[in-house]
Amino acid sequence: MKLHEHYSSFLGEDNIYKNISTIKRNTTFDLVVLILIVVTMGIGVYFFTEDTVKNKTPLSETYYRWHFILMVSSFVFCYGFIFYERVRLFKNIKQKVGKFKQNMLEVILFGIDWDSKILKYYWFEKLHASNRELETWKLEFFKIQNDKDLATSTAPKFPINLSEVISIVVILVSVLNFISFAVGAEEGRQQKLIVLQTFLLVSPIFFPIIMFIRNSFNEKKNNYKNMQNYSLALGYVLDKRRIENGSQQENLSEE
């Protein structure tokens, strides 16, 4: 096996997600759900804007209309779907790996921490077992070459924290909204600010845009992270082989 073949399998069938989680994902179903959420939320927001800004309908009356209910329902369903998937993943990993540092609430709020030592070393054990047939000198060569590439690479840094930008904008709009009420701004202007704030608060509709913007950066970040994990994994496998070989030699000498 050559280096590029081994590294490809490391990123493919031997990656941490496939080694730890046994959940089978239906990407077509996930894509359809995402499209439905974005479309229904977009329709709700559009007609909500039409009703509040163009028709100047008081907000107290829009809360019971179909477009507001559709907008809020799609918002709730989006986070409900994320909640369900994360609970399912947490239970699956806990059943397979056992206790790890995150509890269910942390996983629901922030997702699985794939940098957890318990998860990583469980993964490394799997890689140790799957690489038993590969010669030690090859693994050593693969690690040396990867470490050379890693030494000449730098960890990518994204210049803008998009989550902070969104938070600042939401706070700014809220402040402007409060000021407009305080100084007695026209009702139409107040409603425009409220609608703008609603757009920002209903953040899932912007997920595809944010992911598109960060795609290039995430690819560089993931490449660097994969090189680091590859080096750590090979180091673990090689160290464990040395320990096992040492134990075998001790047992032979005792006999």
Side-chain angles (χ1 to χ4, degrees), residues 205-246:
I205 198 170
F206 297 109
F207 281 178
I209 300 173
I210 292 172
M211 292 307 297
F212 176 78
I213 294 172
R214 298 191 62 176
N215 184 54
S216 177
F217 166 75
N218 283 338
E219 185 176 353
K220 294 177 182 177
K221 181 181 177 181
N222 290 335
N223 287 338
Y224 186 81
K225 191 73 175 177
N226 288 332
M227 290 171 67
Q228 286 182 314
N229 286 335
Y230 188 62
S231 179
L232 289 171
L234 290 180
Y236 181 90
V237 172
L238 290 168
D239 287 342
K240 186 151 188 178
R241 282 191 179 186
R242 293 188 190 101
I243 293 172
E244 289 177 347
N245 291 336

Side-chain angles (χ1 to χ4, degrees), residues 96-118:
K96 194 171 183 182
V97 178
K99 185 176 178 60
F100 60 106
K101 68 177 183 179
Q102 287 183 293
N103 55 44
M104 186 181 290
L105 181 61
E106 289 175 321
V107 172
I108 291 171
L109 294 176
F110 309 111
I112 295 291
D113 177 18
W114 296 107
D115 289 326
S116 166
K117 283 187 177 181
I118 294 175

Side-chain angles (χ1 to χ4, degrees), residues 13 33 38 61 87 94 150 152 155 172 193 196 210 236 251:
E13 60 268 20
V33 169
V38 172
E61 295 181 14
V87 168
K94 189 174 182 181
L150 195 59
T152 57
L172 180 62
L193 286 171
L196 177 59
I210 292 172
Y236 181 90
N251 291 335

